[in-house]
Amino acid sequence: MAENKDRCPFLREDKVAFCRAFPLRKPLPFDKIYARENLCLKGEYLRCPIYREKEGGKERTPKRICPFLEIETVMYCDLFPIKKMIPSSCYKLECPCTTERYTECPLFLGMAKGDLSTPSGMEEVGGFSLGPYIYCEGHFWLQEEGEERVKMGLDDFGQFLIGPIKGISLPGRGQRLTKGHPFITLISRSGEAQLPAPLSGDVVEVNEEVERDPSLVNFDPYGRGWLLQVQPEGWSRQRGLLHGEEAKRWLAEEVERLRYLLQSEIGVTMADGGELLRDRLQEVGRERWDLLVETFLKKGGMKNVGSP
């Protein structure tokens, strides 16, 4: 088969199985459905309590495969340090992975240069990347760039909640930011979100590359996807900043909160092994997406509005 030059060579496919009768859409690695204890591929699925409840105890002539078994193809990046699975149907939308733009991807460029080492200090917490930065409860990361400058961006957890970003509105150079007040607008497939500033100060530099290509916030949130550089006010006195072990504990708690909301209140589930199946947020609808953005990205940023 001829190589498809419009598709990244590191884009991989896998299959997962779902039970359509189960109240939560829980993916199971495809090979596990052949396990001896699994009833899905045997006539014995008639003994499955979930099947019996769904069918109301009706007697059926058994077939070889349970009628509620669903197989779906998912895709993931073989270069990314965390295996984040997305249904192949989502790639019908234009994205760098399935167009000639994959050559602009930081991971692909790293492979081309022979440098695929994980950035120094990067860790994984609950399926999300956490770098050696200072974090705010509204899921922005901050990095000091000298005594009078702070670079900021949206962290991996934050960009995941927003979803594939199609548009972005950033403040201009010289504009004043006030902590807790809206300063950025992100537009995704799920909706539009105005997020509060994590600190007060004057904008001294704007990432024009992100303005041209907002998807960089998704694909490289700690690198080319940075947003602004700010001359902060009261930086050393600001409360609610997290780093090191404290940031790791906080992010782990955020992942658990998200897990609870998705499973118990919204009806979306995560993959086995604790990784979040990232595409599932696209199933929650606008109202519930707004709830997630409000819960994790706005309320955290709105805390201590009266502080510097």
Side-chain angles (χ1 to χ4, degrees):
M1 181 180 295
E3 180 181 357
N4 185 352
K5 295 183 179 180
D6 292 336
R7 169 177 164 147
C8 178
F10 299 106
L11 189 62
R12 301 287 184 255
E13 293 186 358
D14 205 346
K15 291 185 181 294
V16 293
F18 297 92
C19 174
R20 290 189 290 109
F22 196 69
L24 298 178
R25 189 176 172 87
K26 184 175 182 180
L28 180 72
F30 187 68
D31 57 350
K32 287 190 178 182
I33 67 174
Y34 294 100
R36 179 177 300 178
E37 66 275 10
N38 197 306
L39 306 178
C40 302
L41 296 182
K42 308 172 184 177
E44 297 176 4
Y45 67 78
L46 294 177
R47 296 191 290 109
C48 172
I50 298 173
Y51 174 87
R52 295 182 66 84
E53 180 180 355
K54 189 72 173 180
E55 289 293 289
K58 298 177 183 177
E59 293 296 329
R60 302 284 188 183
T61 302
K63 300 179 181 179
R64 188 174 67 86
I65 300 176
C66 176
F68 295 114
L69 180 65
E70 179 181 340
I71 307 298
E72 185 167 12
T73 300
V74 295
M75 307 184 83
Y76 62 93
C77 174
D78 202 31
L79 298 181
F80 200 74
I82 304 170
K83 188 175 179 179
K84 301 172 181 177
M85 298 180 291
I86 301 174
S88 58
S89 58
C90 294
Y91 282 89
K92 294 177 182 178
L93 301 171
E94 183 173 320
C95 72
C97 303
T98 54
T99 71
E100 293 180 351
R101 289 178 53 215
Y102 75 79
T103 56
E104 303 172 12
C105 170
L107 292 175
F108 182 86
L109 291 173
M111 169 61 80
K113 295 177 182 178
D115 178 18
L116 270 182
S117 59
T118 302
S120 177
M122 294 296 291
E123 299 182 66
E124 177 186 336
V125 178
F128 294 96
S129 300
L130 186 77
Y133 308 107
I134 298 171
Y135 292 86
C136 304
E137 292 179 316
H139 286 280
F140 286 98
W141 59 266
L142 308 171
Q143 183 179 42
E144 293 187 77
E145 299 278 310
E147 294 184 1
E148 298 184 353
R149 283 197 178 195
V150 171
K151 180 185 285 187
M152 72 168 66
L154 193 65
D155 72 9
D156 189 32
F157 185 95
Q159 67 81 18
F160 160 64
L161 285 182
I162 293 294
I165 298 172
K166 305 300 181 184
I168 189 169
S169 176
L170 296 172
R173 187 179 287 106
Q175 187 169 333
R176 176 74 176 173
L177 302 186
T178 301
K179 184 179 186 296
H181 291 254
F183 82 111
I184 181 176
T185 300
L186 298 171
I187 302 171
S188 75
R189 291 178 57 198
S190 300
E192 181 177 311
Q194 289 187 320
L195 303 183
L199 49 73
S200 296
D202 298 318
V203 177
V204 294
E205 190 170 345
V206 178
N207 187 352
E208 296 178 354
E209 187 178 13
V210 157
E211 290 184 310
R212 293 190 298 269
D213 183 5
S215 68
L216 288 173
V217 178
N218 295 120
F219 291 99
D220 193 15
Y222 300 112
R224 292 171 63 196
W226 66 275
L227 302 174
L228 305 170
Q229 287 195 29
V230 177
Q231 185 174 359
E233 178 183 289
W235 168 249
S236 61
R237 303 190 306 274
Q238 182 164 314
R239 293 175 290 170
L241 300 179
L242 307 158
H243 59 89
E245 291 299 317
E246 189 177 22
K248 288 173 62 176
R249 288 193 296 270
W250 161 73
L251 182 55
E253 291 171 359
E254 290 287 89
V255 173
E256 287 305 311
R257 278 211 303 157
L258 178 60
R259 188 190 309 275
Y260 174 81
L261 279 173
L262 289 177
Q263 290 184 333
S264 66
E265 298 188 19
I266 296 180
V268 178
T269 190
M270 275 72 68
D272 288 343
E275 289 186 1
L276 291 164
L277 193 59
R278 297 196 163 215
D279 69 286
R280 295 303 167 213
L281 282 189
Q282 298 174 17
E283 300 177 1
V284 304
R286 175 61 189 268
E287 184 176 346
R288 289 171 171 173
W289 179 81
D290 286 339
L291 171 64
L292 292 175
V293 171
E294 181 73 25
T295 299
F296 292 96
L297 304 185
K298 291 188 177 181
K299 286 189 175 180
M302 294 297 288
K303 291 181 179 179
N304 305 324
V305 170
S307 62

